Structures are given as C-alpha cells and as structure tokens.
Amino acid sequence: MVAKADLITVSIIQHRLTAIVAEMGEAMLRTSYSQILNSSRDFSTGICDAKCRLAAQAEHIPIHVGALSFAAESVSGYFSGTVKPGDVYLLNDPYFGGSHLPDVTAFVPVFAGDQLVFWTINRAHHSDIGGATYGAYNPTATSIFQEGLRITPVKLYDQGIVRQDLLDMLATNTRNPRDFKGDLAAQIGSVRVGERRVLSLIEEFGADIVLKSVEAILNSAEQQAREVISTWPDGVYRGEAVLDDDGHGRQDVTIRAVVTKKESDLVVDLTESDAQSDGFLNSSYANMRSAVAMAISYLINPETPKNHGSQRPITVKAKQGTIVWSNDGAPVTMCTSHCSNEICEAIIVALSEACPERATGGWGRRFRVAIQGENPKTGKEFIWHLFHARPGAGGSSGGDGWHNAGEWHSAGGLKFGSVELAEARFPLLFNKHEFRKNSSGDGEFRGGAGVELELELETEKLALANTAGDGNRHGSRGMVGGEDSKPHHYELHHQDGSIRPLKTKEISVPVNPGDRFIIHSAGGGGWGDPKNRTAWARELDIKNEITG
C-alpha cells in the first residue's frame, strides 16, 4: 500500500477509471434490446465523485456527458442522507438535470464502508418514452407534457430490491414496454458493473488513495486546459449560429455567443440569444451547459481528460427564457441535437479568431426520421429510427473532414450500424447508401461528404413517419475562410410517381408499402481559404467522386 497518491499511482488510477467506464459501455452495448442502443450506440457512461464532479467518462456521446454532473446533483440532493448500498436511481426530466425525455439516466452509489464515494452513471436514449408521438420527437409540441413521461429523481431499487410497481408503471407509459424494460435492465447492469470495478479499485488501493488521485486527476486536467487557453490572445470574441426554423413559424432562430478570454479564463455569455421557442428546439439548463463544455473540449488538446477539472476555467452566463435555457415546462426534445449543435457552433465561430488552428469547420446537422408500422415478418408493431445517411464532419487545420461521421453533438459517437442487420430486423430495403458527391464545403481542407440514401419500406400496411431536425436551409458552417456545405434534402417517393419533399419538423407522414425515402444529407463545412487547397487534393477528390 502506497502512503500517498504519487504520480505513478495517479496515472494507474486514471487509466483504471477510464477502463471502467469503457467496460460499462461494452456491457450496455452487448445487453440492450433496442437498435438505437445496441447498434447506433446512443448512450454514455461516466463516474462522478460524491461531490457530483465528473471524474471519468467513456468516449460515447459528448452532449450526454457534460450534463451528467447536474443530474447527479439532482439525485444526490433529492435523496440526501438516505442513499444506501444497493440502491438504483433514475431520472430523465430536463428540468432536474436531464437533457431530454428519451434520455433516461441510471445511477448507482458506490460506498467505501459507510462513506458514499462515487456514482456510476449510464444515460441512454430509449426508443420511446410515451407522449403524443412515438419515438418522443414531437415537432407540434408546445409543452413538455406532450413529449413523454417525466421522471424526476426516483429510487427504482431499494438496497437491492426492485420496486416492481414503479418499474411496471414506467414501462406501461411507453409504447414498447418489453424493449423499455430490457434497455433499462441493460443500463442497470452497466452501472452495477461500474460499481463492482470501482469497489475492486478501492479494495486494491484504499479509498483515501483513490480519492486523492481523483483530486490530482481533476487538478491536472484543469492545468492542461489552462495552459492551452493562456496561449490565445486576450479579447472579446463574438459568434452566431442560426437554426432554419422552430416548426412553429419562426425562421432563423439565432444563438449568440460572446466569449471573453483573459489569461487562462473564459467567460461564455449566451444571454443575447433569441427568446425561447414554442417548439422543441429549446434547451434545458443542463443541456446548455453540456453544449458549452462540448465546444471547449473540442478546442483544447485531445489528450486532456474531459472531466470536471478541464471545465474549471469556464464561466457560463445565460438568461432563462431564451432558446438556450427555457422556462420550466417548455418542450425540449430536439435540444440534444438542436440547439446544442448551434451553441457549440456559435462558441467555436467566436473563438476561431483566437485559435483558428483549433477550430474545425461545422459538422452536419441532425435530420432524424422515425418510422412506426407493422413488421410483416413478425406481425408486431415496430419503431425504427434512421441513423444512416449521417452528414459529414468539418474540415480542420489537420486535414479534410470525415465522411458520413455525424453531427457536432455526437462527434462520431453515434453509429449507423449494419445495413444488413437493419434489413433483417425491420421491413426495410437499402437500395443505395453511398457518399454524396459535391456535398461538402470547400476549403484548404474540405468538409467530409454527406450521403445519398435510397430506402424502401417493405411493409404490407400503411406506416407513419415523423421527422425531427434542422439543416434544410443552412448547411454546415465553413470556418476560417472555408465554405458552407450543401444543406440536407429529403424526399418521399410514392409508388404512384408523386414526390413529397420532407420538412425537418413534421409528424404522421403517410408511408405506403413500397414507398422510397430518397435522402441527400449535408456534408461538413470547409476550413481555410479554398485557394490554398492543393491541386493534388482536388484531383484525388475527383478520382474518389467526392467532387466533380
């Protein structure tokens, strides 16, 4: 047993914590029921200490992770003094530290003797959470009560004993209770794996050494972040990002970031952002703070741990009643994609003047399609969320953007999964899924390509589709002189030859058997002056049919 948390011990414990959250993710991936989790990986894992400070996270979904500490604070505060070993807690309410209602968060407390020392946490997007529309995304919602079941902090397991009545009540309020229970069981298994591994770590090193090491890990992350920020010129920097519309008649909803940099401190001021919407683009406070953390994390060194410590240099200012921090009760389901992408974009646009070599071009925006129908293979109802045809990533000073990588809020963490597996499990036929030529923003380093997708529905009865997203009018943002990408363009082709352009925010679109979705997703934004792109790079793009 070492007497103090020396540097080698701190490093070992840091890597062990990282391995634990990664293993929690693997447990979730291998045991969850829904394709949105076991194929698309729309979940995140983390560990907070007893002060609810994020100590470790796995490389999953960035917009989830920055909000976990706020959720842990809600649970810890609500059950203060009553938390026991074997308890399991749940939360999804955006006004209690959640992000949006489909993201259910599970917590297990970890004790060293009688002392609560950590929380192991899993946040996962469920395929349905009740509400007025299947899949939770309701562009017509004007209240959170139209979006689904609100779960304020609740105790699901009391010292190892499940509260079956509560579990049944939660599952009954979803459209697919079997999947809900299965996915929730996977989450609980995941956090319990984390609990066992943390207890093993404490047994090996002792609670005192582990806790001292966490303090050292957080302090080191803070120091690393400050070292980077201190190299940027002091000043006041401004950036904006614009959403297409809110689905309720407002266009060009704008988020404004004023970032003041002094020495190694940043003040991110979002108070000038537009007023909150009637629709679901609003952000909860925790989601807004997570989006800010995400933006700064993209600008500091990749190897710096993204934990509580690396966020200490940042002070956030925001005004309640704006699009970035809505009043209690406003709909917010789209916020993890939009307006989180735009909060991130506005901050990076602002700081691109201070650190242009660190600012990437804009990543594509989310344009989700959820389909509900009857699967003729099984005779059962299904809900399928489109994760294919992901947009391109932005270019950067390090090179061209990745093709088909996704959106800023997930940074490649969301996967579209196997086409063949989707066809086997759902009544779908993928006729085409390939890179979209000329979709990326030009630049010294161009953005990644979007995707052309042709998807045919092999149902025997009428199905319905909901859309939720943004980016039909505004492409991915060019940065440091780079150009914007092409925007999205989605269509539904009926068998009678008629074509229906799809809006980014609509519900109950009729989809007949044999109808085809023709999807052109946006590329990523370019970085740097296009005049500086080499002839060799342009020739290679033409050869690979990325441009031309």
Side-chain angles (χ1 to χ4, degrees):
M1 177 68 68
V2 292
K4 63 179 181 178
D6 59 86
L7 292 179
I8 292 176
T9 302
V10 170
S11 179
I12 291 170
I13 290 175
Q14 178 178 343
H15 285 84
R16 286 279 290 276
L17 290 173
T18 301
I20 289 169
V21 289
E23 185 180 357
M24 289 166 63
E26 285 299 309
M28 182 68 182
L29 180 67
R30 295 169 187 273
T31 58
S32 52
Y33 281 33
S34 300
Q35 61 85 209
I36 198 171
L37 300 175
N38 60 34
S39 182
S40 298
R41 305 180 182 224
D42 197 349
F43 62 83
S44 296
T45 57
I47 296 173
C48 286
D49 67 5
K51 297 177 184 178
C52 301
R53 301 177 302 179
L54 183 66
Q57 59 149 315
E59 294 184 354
H60 290 137
I61 312 299
I63 194 60
H64 284 168
V65 178
L68 294 184
S69 60
F70 296 96
E73 286 175 1
S74 287
V75 169
S76 179
Y78 194 89
F79 292 98
S80 178
T82 67
V83 178
K84 302 291 184 183
D87 289 350
V88 178
Y89 300 90
L90 298 182
L91 176 151
N92 81 338
D93 197 301
Y95 298 100
F96 283 83
S99 45
H100 65 173
L101 295 181
D103 286 342
V104 178
T105 311
F107 309 79
V108 162
V110 182
F111 283 81
D114 295 331
Q115 180 187 7
L116 173 64
V117 287
F118 291 105
W119 294 92
T120 57
I121 307 173
N122 179 306
R123 175 165 289 182
H125 186 119
H126 285 251
S127 60
D128 188 80
I129 198 68
T133 58
Y134 57 89
Y137 288 87
N138 181 6
T140 67
T142 56
S143 164
I144 195 172
F145 298 104
Q146 298 164 309
E147 296 188 299
L149 178 66
R150 297 179 71 173
I151 307 172
T152 56
V154 298
K155 182 188 293 187
L156 184 63
Y157 280 71
D158 190 350
Q159 298 183 71
I161 306 300
V162 65
R163 297 178 60 190
Q164 192 64 44
D165 56 344
L166 177 58
L167 176 60
D168 290 343
M169 184 277 290
L170 296 174
T172 300
N173 279 276
T174 70
R175 289 172 174 80
N176 197 332
R178 174 188 175 274
D179 282 8
F180 177 83
K181 285 186 174 182
D183 292 335
L184 188 57
Q187 287 188 261
I188 294 167
S190 166
V191 287
R192 282 181 165 160
V193 165
E195 178 193 22
R196 292 196 298 271
R197 298 295 183 264
V198 172
L199 287 173
S200 176
L201 183 68
I202 290 171
E203 183 179 359
E204 181 177 347
F205 289 93
D208 185 56
I209 292 297
V210 172
L211 295 176
K212 287 180 179 178
S213 295
V214 167
E215 290 293 341
I217 291 165
L218 299 183
N219 290 340
S220 174
E222 177 184 6
Q223 180 182 359
Q224 293 174 52
R226 289 190 181 279
E227 285 176 354
V228 170
I229 294 168
S230 65
T231 65
W232 305 343
D234 286 354
V236 179
Y237 305 96
R238 294 178 177 270
E240 292 186 356
V242 182
L243 292 143
D244 287 354
D245 63 89
D246 70 348
H248 291 258
R250 283 175 63 186
Q251 289 193 337
D252 294 337
V253 180
T254 304
I255 291 166
R256 300 175 181 87
V258 180
V259 184
T260 302
K261 187 270 176 184
K262 184 177 181 181
E263 297 178 349
S264 64
D265 290 304
L266 292 174
V267 178
V268 177
D269 188 340
L270 302 171
T271 57
E272 297 178 12
S273 298
D274 281 357
Q276 73 179 57
S277 167
D278 292 333
F280 64 178
L281 293 179
N282 301 301
S283 179
S284 65
Y285 179 81
N287 182 76
M288 176 269 292
R289 289 296 302 269
S290 188
V292 174
M294 179 173 68
I296 302 305
S297 294
Y298 293 160
L299 295 173
I300 61 178
N301 290 336
E303 60 272 16
T304 298
K306 308 307 185 291
N307 57 29
H308 175 82
S310 62
Q311 295 300 311
R312 286 174 179 164
I314 298 110
T315 300
V316 179
K317 295 181 179 180
K319 183 167 64 176
Q320 195 165 9
T322 61
I323 193 77
V324 302
W325 180 12
S326 58
N327 292 315
D328 192 350
V332 296
T333 298
M334 199 64 215
C335 74
T336 53
S337 298
H338 307 290
C339 58
S340 72
N341 265 33
E342 288 67 38
I343 294 171
C344 177
E345 181 175 294
I347 294 168
I348 291 179
V349 168
L351 287 173
S352 66
E353 185 179 347
C355 54
E357 75 289 349
R358 292 177 177 266
T360 68
W363 288 51
R365 303 188 180 197
R366 187 75 172 102
F367 191 164
R368 176 188 301 268
V369 179
I371 302 172
Q372 179 190 40
E374 181 182 297
N375 189 342
K377 302 173 186 177
T378 63
K380 296 180 180 180
E381 290 288 313
F382 73 91
I383 299 173
W384 184 75
H385 294 265
L386 173 70
F387 278 85
H388 298 76
R390 306 196 71 74
S396 70
S397 61
D400 295 337
W402 298 316
H403 308 310
N404 189 207
E407 306 83 12
W408 240 331
H409 73 274
S410 59
L414 288 176
K415 315 298 182 183
F416 61 74
S418 164
V419 165
E420 292 77 14
L421 185 59
E423 290 179 330
R425 295 175 63 184
F426 299 94
L428 305 169
L429 177 62
F430 288 79
N431 294 316
K432 177 192 287 189
H433 192 274
E434 60 188 44
F435 296 149
R436 179 188 178 191
K437 186 185 292 187
N438 297 321
S439 58
S440 58
D442 198 5
E444 181 177 352
F445 298 106
R446 55 147 178 78
V451 169
E452 291 186 11
L453 168 65
E454 181 180 324
L455 177 65
E456 184 175 338
L457 210 61
E458 294 186 318
T459 52
E460 295 176 356
K461 298 179 181 179
L462 179 71
L464 297 174
N466 288 353
T467 67
D470 203 72
N472 264 2
R473 295 177 56 237
H474 297 292
S476 308
R477 183 71 168 263
M479 206 73 65
V480 195
E483 296 181 357
D484 294 354
S485 76
K486 281 188 177 178
H488 298 304
H489 184 71
Y490 284 30
E491 294 178 339
L492 180 61
H493 288 222
H494 297 294
Q495 284 194 309
D496 62 8
S498 61
I499 298 175
R500 186 190 199 282
L502 290 174
K503 300 176 183 178
T504 54
K505 304 167 186 72
E506 53 183 332
I507 65 169
S508 300
V509 177
V511 187
N512 296 301
D515 284 353
R516 293 174 297 129
F517 289 90
I518 306 297
I519 290 173
H520 298 84
S521 64
W527 184 95
D529 191 336
K531 295 178 181 177
N532 295 331
R533 188 164 182 79
T534 66
W536 176 85
R538 294 199 180 281
E539 290 171 3
L540 188 62
D541 285 341
I542 293 172
K543 181 179 180 180
N544 290 331
E545 299 185 9
I546 302 302
T547 61

